[in-house]
Amino acid sequence: MKIILADPCGFCYGVKRAVEIAEGAVNSLPAATLGPLIHNPQFTDELAAKGVGCKDSLDQFSEGETVIFRSHGVGPDIYEQAIEKKLKILDATCPNVKTSQRKAQQAFEDGYLPIIVGEKNHPEVKSILAFAGKNGIIIESKEDIGEVPPVSKYCVIIQTTFELAKFEEILQALQAARPGEYRVERTICLATKERQNAAAKLAAEVDAFIVIGGRNSANTRHLTELVSAICPRCYQIETAAELSPEMFQGCRKIGISAGASTPERIIKEAVKAMENMEINKVEGNEFEAMLDASMEDYGVHPGKLVTGKVIQVDKEGVYISFGYRREGLIAWADWAMDANPEELMGTVNVGDEVEAVVVPGSTTEEFIRLSKIRAEKEAAWKTVQELPEGEKRPATVKVLRVIKARGRDKDSDKPKQVVGLAVAVEGVEGFMPASHVELRHIDDFTPYVGKEMEAEIIEVNAEKKRIVVSRRDLLKAEKAQKHQEWLENREARIAAAKEARAAREAAAYEEIVEGETYEGKVVKVAEFGLFVEVLEGLVGLVHNTELSYDRSVKAGDVAKEGDMVKVFVKKVDKENHRVSLSIKATQEDPWIAAAAGFAVGDEVEGTVERFLPFGALVRLNDKVEGMIHVSELADTRVEKPEDVLKIGQVVKPMIIKIDQAKRKIGLSLTRAKKDEEKAEMKAFMDGNTEENFSNNAMAEQLEGLNK
């Protein structure tokens, strides 16, 4: 049995640094870590034996004690609390985790929504989230994407020990479901990536694989998942005590790797234990070795295909005579899958000829243990065609059972992780990795047992009796086809809707009348005006200038989307498909109403409001003002209006012109003065004509006034 150790494996730089810091704290006692320093129970116990314990909360520390922040990091509030309690801080946070924390904080400050991809309950992920602001979010799988709120900018950060391939799948699904601007921080630890790559490469070359590390270690768990998909005979252990010879029965090459938090001592102990098992197999069972040798003399050895005749049948199984000095026994469990002895006993007769395979370890028993199931599998394997590298072929498979990760931790309450499904394919038993069953994450695989499914054979290794199948590419193709059909249907729907909309619009253009008033629905509020559907299928624009007589009014002040408004059709341009609308035209002009009481010839009172180069503006009321041209200010030539008037001065000019279309009123001070003088003269003459003036004198004066 050849034992191959993946390179690299075991402690990474961050863990080594944390271990050195913690072991150095022995000189700073009393000291303790806040939570386990690394996810390895054996090392935690060793550290406690040296005086550096493990506490769950800062409340358990007293002033002056040393607190060691573990490699997974803590949030900023923990730093503040430790300082307030006056604790001595030894920060063993992994530099890679520190980097992730800084990137999460920077993303929040830059206006991005920080999304951490990793295990929701992992302390490292929680520490990164603590730096990500109040809106940060954790997603562990594609099923969590629905919890991500739609925003314009996202920053995606990976847990440093997360499986990179799984991260890329989640990222791709996230970007499809939540489009926007993305900042992607692939902060996976380089050491983690190297260990995963080395383990994956070795797993393809061995018959069985051992992953060493704490069961609470995320990177060890991910390493086990990765290896199990390649080498189904994979075991995760914490210490050498969990190893047993049965794990390696029939194996020639064994691969070993370890999580980044597994001490070198534990790795060496496991390797040594496996080497001792190989020695004991030769030196500790000499009698068994002699019997095996005698079997070899007759050409009988474990794995040998033999043919014999049934000599007896009972509740234990079927007894076979096959030319060796001892008979063979095929237990019912080795006779057929899901064996029911009572039912099977009636189907086997003495004298029947049977093919079976010698089971390893048979020489220690009274009978040679044989297996008809294995013989059938061996025969079936002869019919399985090899698969050229890089190719695949379709197959219909039937799910036999769920395969879970192997382990010997009987005290653990956690259910063992599913690594895949055992399937019947082309007459043999194959393996379908859990990640190849569906495109989505599956929690419960039991409903698949007994079902037939279409799949593809992606690997055949007749020497190792390994055949791997997958549904991923088939499901992707099916999904792509459905998506294409959906796109085609959508295009057809869009084209039909567009055609119907064009027909409605054409009919509406024939119906609408320029100069008429309609009630329409606001379909959009824009910066430059309102879009109003006047008739079904016909939308016109009310420009900001046509919203109100008050120029300061904006579109949003007049109406909101969905409101009904009354509009006047100003212009219909059928050629360019444009309709100009006006809300202002349906309203009374406030200027005209305010000027309704004024008439040409009226003498009015007003206040000088401001000067223009060619005249003065006079405020007549709160909405109406008039202008006195410089030529109407005095009888003599006036250069500038400020030469004869002052701002705020009250004057009584005469209205000499009203232009409602242009909303302008012309005023005159000189004409008002002349009319006043006329009135005074007339009043004087009416009362004193004979006493003061002759008819000729009066006529001359009146003529001068008229001029």
Side-chain angles (χ1 to χ4, degrees):
M1 186 171 71
K2 185 176 181 180
I3 301 170
I4 306 172
L5 188 64
D7 184 22
C9 71
F11 274 0
C12 64
Y13 163 73
V15 172
K16 286 180 180 178
R17 175 179 173 273
V19 168
E20 290 173 359
I21 291 174
E23 290 179 339
V26 173
N27 301 321
S28 305
L29 298 177
T33 61
L34 182 61
L37 183 75
I38 58 175
H39 279 154
N40 186 275
Q42 291 73 33
F43 178 78
T44 301
D45 293 341
E46 291 174 8
L47 202 58
K50 296 178 181 179
V52 180
C54 176
K55 298 182 179 181
D56 298 324
S57 168
L58 287 179
D59 295 335
Q60 299 173 353
F61 287 82
S62 301
E63 182 178 332
E65 285 188 335
T66 298
V67 58
I68 305 170
F69 291 152
R70 55 184 174 178
S71 60
H72 309 102
V74 296
D77 56 323
I78 302 298
Y79 285 94
E80 294 175 3
Q81 293 175 29
I83 293 172
E84 289 177 3
K85 289 182 69 70
K86 298 181 180 179
L87 302 178
K88 297 177 183 177
I89 298 175
L90 289 179
D91 193 350
T93 304
C94 171
N96 290 314
V97 177
K98 283 277 191 184
T99 299
S100 297
Q101 292 173 343
R102 286 196 300 270
K103 289 183 180 295
Q105 184 174 10
Q106 188 63 51
F108 169 71
E109 293 174 355
D110 292 345
Y112 288 79
L113 172 65
I115 302 174
I116 299 95
V117 178
E119 298 182 21
K120 294 183 177 180
N121 294 320
H122 196 279
E124 174 196 323
V125 176
K126 290 181 178 179
S127 78
I128 298 172
L129 181 66
F131 283 86
K134 61 181 179 180
N135 294 324
I137 190 170
I138 302 171
I139 61 174
E140 190 169 344
S141 65
K142 289 185 284 189
E143 282 65 35
D144 298 330
I145 292 175
E147 301 174 9
V148 178
V151 296
S152 59
K153 298 197 299 183
Y154 304 88
C155 178
V156 186
I157 304 167
I158 184 175
Q159 177 185 346
T160 63
T161 57
F162 205 69
E163 187 179 342
L164 186 58
K166 186 177 179 182
F167 168 76
E168 296 296 346
E169 288 183 8
I170 294 172
L171 175 61
Q172 185 178 1
L174 175 64
Q175 291 176 323
R178 295 288 186 271
E181 179 184 340
Y182 274 81
R183 178 189 292 178
V184 181
E185 305 288 2
R186 291 177 173 81
T187 50
I188 188 169
C189 172
L190 180 60
T192 298
K193 183 178 179 181
E194 289 176 344
R195 281 154 178 74
Q196 290 178 353
N197 291 341
K201 182 178 179 181
L202 180 59
E205 302 171 358
V206 298
D207 303 307
F209 206 103
I210 302 296
V211 179
I212 309 170
R215 289 189 172 82
N216 59 342
S217 167
N219 71 79
T220 303
R221 187 162 56 254
H222 293 150
L223 201 60
T224 304
E225 293 173 3
L226 180 66
V227 170
S228 296
I230 302 169
C231 179
R233 198 167 182 178
C234 175
Y235 308 89
Q236 180 184 344
I237 65 169
E238 284 192 351
T239 66
E242 298 179 40
L243 294 168
S244 67
E246 290 78 16
M247 292 180 176
F248 317 114
Q249 202 167 51
C251 296
R252 297 178 182 178
K253 291 182 181 180
I254 309 297
I256 298 180
S257 187
S261 55
T262 306
E264 185 178 355
R265 173 185 60 78
I266 294 179
I267 300 173
K268 289 181 177 179
E269 288 176 356
V271 173
K272 187 67 175 176
M274 294 170 67
E275 291 174 346
N276 288 337
M277 287 178 190
E278 183 70 3
I279 293 171
N280 290 337
K281 185 175 180 180
V282 178
E283 297 179 354
N285 298 300
E286 294 181 2
F287 180 70
E288 180 180 345
M290 290 172 61
L291 289 176
D292 283 341
S294 69
M295 290 177 68
E296 290 289 349
D297 293 338
Y298 284 87
V300 179
H301 55 81
K304 172 73 174 181
L305 179 66
V306 298
T307 302
K309 288 187 177 182
V310 177
I311 59 174
Q312 182 182 340
V313 179
D314 63 19
K315 63 179 182 178
E316 298 297 328
V318 179
Y319 298 85
I320 304 294
S321 174
F322 60 98
Y324 184 59
R325 60 187 180 83
R326 284 187 292 166
E327 284 74 28
L329 169 63
I330 305 176
W332 290 117
D334 288 315
W335 181 270
M337 297 290 292
D338 302 322
N340 184 331
E342 294 182 0
E343 294 179 0
L344 291 175
M345 284 176 64
T347 65
V348 183
N349 300 312
V350 174
D352 289 348
E353 193 171 88
V354 179
E355 280 191 343
V357 170
V358 178
V359 176
S362 306
T363 54
T364 60
E365 302 175 4
E366 183 180 356
F367 298 95
I368 304 298
R369 284 190 58 213
L370 304 174
S371 172
K372 177 172 170 285
I373 292 177
R374 295 193 187 188
E376 292 171 347
K377 288 182 179 180
E378 291 288 343
W381 268 107
K382 294 177 182 178
T383 66
V384 176
Q385 297 178 2
E386 289 289 342
L387 189 67
E389 187 175 352
E391 294 187 11
K392 55 188 177 182
R393 64 173 177 262
T396 300
V397 304
K398 182 177 181 180
V399 180
L400 302 176
R401 62 186 181 281
V402 178
I403 301 176
K404 297 184 178 181
R406 299 177 181 179
R408 302 181 60 171
D409 187 0
K410 297 181 181 179
D411 298 328
S412 176
D413 295 331
K414 294 183 179 180
K416 293 179 180 177
Q417 186 176 8
V418 173
V419 296
L421 301 175
V423 298
V425 52
E426 295 189 353
V428 299
E429 183 175 308
F431 173 69
M432 183 183 294
S435 60
H436 289 251
V437 178
E438 298 287 353
L439 295 179
R440 56 186 173 83
H441 175 75
I442 302 296
D443 291 320
D444 183 11
F445 286 86
T446 53
Y448 290 89
V449 176
K451 285 188 175 182
E452 285 193 350
M453 299 185 293
E454 295 304 314
E456 291 179 314
I457 299 173
I458 60 175
E459 180 187 343
V460 175
N461 190 324
E463 182 181 350
K464 294 183 179 180
K465 302 295 188 290
R466 180 162 65 195
I467 183 168
V468 181
V469 300
S470 170
R471 298 180 68 221
R472 288 184 62 83
D473 288 346
L474 287 179
L475 294 174
K476 285 181 180 179
E478 181 182 337
K479 183 178 179 181
Q481 182 179 354
K482 288 182 179 179
H483 181 65
Q484 183 61 34
E485 291 174 356
W486 179 85
L487 286 177
E488 292 173 357
N489 292 335
R490 186 186 69 168
E491 292 298 327
R493 291 194 302 270
I494 291 173
K498 187 176 181 180
E499 185 178 343
R501 189 164 55 248
R504 289 195 301 268
E505 185 181 48
Y509 269 105
E510 293 299 322
E511 181 181 346
I512 195 167
V513 179
E514 196 172 287
E516 290 292 327
T517 299
Y518 295 83
E519 187 174 32
K521 181 179 180 181
V522 177
V523 295
K524 185 178 179 181
V525 179
E527 291 185 6
F528 50 84
L530 299 174
F531 287 95
V532 179
E533 186 177 34
V534 184
L535 298 172
E536 185 181 5
L538 192 149
V539 176
L541 171 65
V542 182
H543 194 270
N544 282 341
T545 57
E546 294 295 330
L547 292 171
S548 171
Y549 284 100
D550 184 352
R551 297 257 179 124
S552 65
V553 171
K554 303 296 182 185
D557 302 330
V558 175
K560 63 180 182 297
E561 192 172 312
D563 287 351
M564 301 299 292
V565 293
K566 192 174 290 185
V567 293
F568 175 80
V569 180
K570 290 185 65 181
K571 184 178 180 181
V572 177
D573 185 349
K574 294 182 180 180
E575 184 177 350
N576 295 308
H577 293 268
R578 292 179 181 175
V579 177
S580 299
L581 306 174
S582 174
I583 293 177
K584 181 173 72 174
T586 66
Q587 303 169 345
E588 182 182 10
D589 189 337
W591 188 92
I592 293 176
F598 299 125
V600 175
D602 288 352
E603 182 180 322
V604 292
E605 183 177 293
T607 304
V608 178
E609 193 166 77
R610 64 185 186 277
F611 296 129
L612 299 174
F614 48 83
L617 292 178
V618 177
R619 173 64 61 183
L620 302 181
N621 60 33
D622 61 340
K623 295 187 182 300
V624 180
E625 61 182 13
M627 190 190 77
I628 307 173
H629 193 270
V630 289
S631 62
E632 298 291 340
L633 288 172
D635 292 332
T636 60
R637 180 178 178 80
V638 177
E639 294 291 336
K640 296 182 294 183
E642 51 263 45
D643 291 341
V644 295
L645 295 176
K646 296 180 180 179
I647 299 297
Q649 180 181 344
V650 177
V651 294
K652 293 183 177 181
M654 175 186 288
I655 298 176
I656 59 175
K657 185 178 181 181
I658 298 178
D659 188 342
Q660 289 189 347
K662 295 182 179 180
R663 305 170 81 192
K664 292 182 179 180
I665 293 180
L667 304 174
S668 174
L669 282 176
T670 59
R671 298 190 194 186
K673 186 175 182 181
K674 287 178 181 180
D675 284 354
E676 184 180 348
E677 289 176 351
K678 277 184 180 182
E680 289 177 354
M681 179 60 71
K682 186 176 184 303
F684 177 78
M685 293 305 297
D686 287 346
N688 302 286
T689 303
E690 295 179 357
E691 191 175 319
N692 294 305
F693 298 100
S694 66
N695 289 336
N696 291 335
M698 180 184 69
E700 289 176 359
Q701 289 191 29
L702 287 173
E703 185 180 355
L705 287 175
N706 288 331
K707 289 180 180 179

